[in-house]
C-alpha cells in the first residue's frame, strides 16, 4: 500500500501493477498486482500478501483499495480506476463494486477463479449495486506468462 499519493499517467498504471505483481512473486506470493488511480494520481498500489499477512483477503486488489480509501479518507472511490494484472475473484469484484470504482482494467482472464468475464460474472447480476466499466486483456500475454512461470517453478 502507498503512504503518499503519487502522480502517474494511465498507461503507467498497468506497468506499476506489473511491478507489484513481480514483487509479490519475489516474496513467494501469487504474482498479482493492483493500482488505484484518480486524475493521474496513484492512491493505492499493492501485490498479493496472503501468505505474508496470513490473511485470505490480502489480495492485491483488496490492499490497493484499502490504501486508496485511506488516502482519500472515504470508503467510496468515486472517479477512481483500478488496474490489476489478473481478472478479479468474486471477493475482489464485489469490493470493487462496493467501492464504486469507475473503471476496471485487467490483464489476464481467470477461467478458474475470475468473477468478471468468467465464473459468476458478478457485474451481470441484477443484484450488483454498482457496475464499473470493464476493460480486460491489457498486456494479457505478459500477465498470463508471469502466472504460468510462477506456478511452473513451484511444481
Amino acid at each position: 500500500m502507498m503512504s503518499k499519493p503519487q502522480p502517474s499517467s494511465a498507461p503507467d498504471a498497468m506497468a506499476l501493477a506489473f511491478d507489484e505483481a513481480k514483487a509479490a512473486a519475489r516474496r513467494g506470493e501469487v504474482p498479482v498486482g493492483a493500482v488505484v488511480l484518480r486524475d493521474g494520481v496513484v492512491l493505492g498500489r499493492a501485490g498479493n500478501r496472503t501468505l505474508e499477512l496470513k490473511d485470505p483477503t490480502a489480495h492485491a486488489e483488496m490492499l490497493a483499495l484499502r490504501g486508496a480509501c485511506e488516502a482519500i479518507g472515504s470508503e467510496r472511490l468515486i472517479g477512481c480506476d483500478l488496474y490489476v494484472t489478473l481478472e478479479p475473484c468474486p471477493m475482489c469484484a464485489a469490493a470493487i463494486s462496493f467501492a464504486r470504482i469507475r473503471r476496471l482494467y485487467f490483464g489476464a482472464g481467470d477461467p478458474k477463479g475470475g468473477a468478471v468475464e468468467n465464473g459468476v460474472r458478478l457485474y451481470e447480476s441484477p443484484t450488483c449495486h454498482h457496475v464499473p466499466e470493464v476493460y480486460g486483456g491489457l498486456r494479457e500475454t505478459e500477465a498470463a506468462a508471469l502466472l504460468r512461470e510462477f506456478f511452473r517453478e513451484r511444481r
Side-chain angles (χ1 to χ4, degrees):
M1 283 183 271
M2 297 225 13
S3 58
K4 179 181 175 191
Q6 297 180 0
S8 181
S9 66
D12 292 338
M14 199 61 169
L16 293 174
F18 271 94
D19 290 345
E20 292 292 339
K22 291 171 186 173
R26 288 191 296 275
R27 293 190 303 271
E29 302 275 2
V30 175
V32 178
V35 173
V36 177
L37 191 74
R38 183 170 69 185
D39 298 328
V41 175
V42 175
L43 299 176
R45 63 187 277 186
N48 277 353
R49 291 185 180 275
T50 59
L51 299 173
E52 175 186 338
L53 298 177
K54 295 173 182 41
D55 178 356
T57 70
H59 289 195
E61 301 97 319
M62 299 296 284
L63 297 173
L65 290 171
R66 288 175 189 151
C69 288
E70 185 177 326
I72 66 168
S74 175
E75 78 285 4
R76 301 273 195 251
L77 297 173
I78 307 296
C80 293
D81 301 329
L82 175 67
Y83 293 77
V84 61
T85 58
L86 181 65
E87 176 183 358
C89 72
M91 172 184 68
C92 293
I96 290 163
S97 176
F98 292 142
R100 306 299 195 264
I101 288 291
R102 176 179 58 183
R103 293 184 196 105
L104 166 64
Y105 299 90
F106 69 86
D110 186 356
K112 191 173 179 181
V116 178
E117 292 182 347
N118 293 286
V120 299
R121 298 178 184 235
L122 181 73
Y123 302 138
E124 293 177 16
S125 171
T127 61
C128 185
H129 298 289
H130 170 77
V131 177
E133 293 176 33
V134 176
Y135 303 92
L138 275 74
R139 296 173 64 176
E140 181 174 19
T141 303
E142 181 182 356
L146 184 64
L147 288 158
R148 269 193 313 274
E149 181 179 322
F150 175 81
F151 286 112
R152 182 175 28 245
E153 290 175 2
R154 273 143 190 81
R155 291 187 182 123

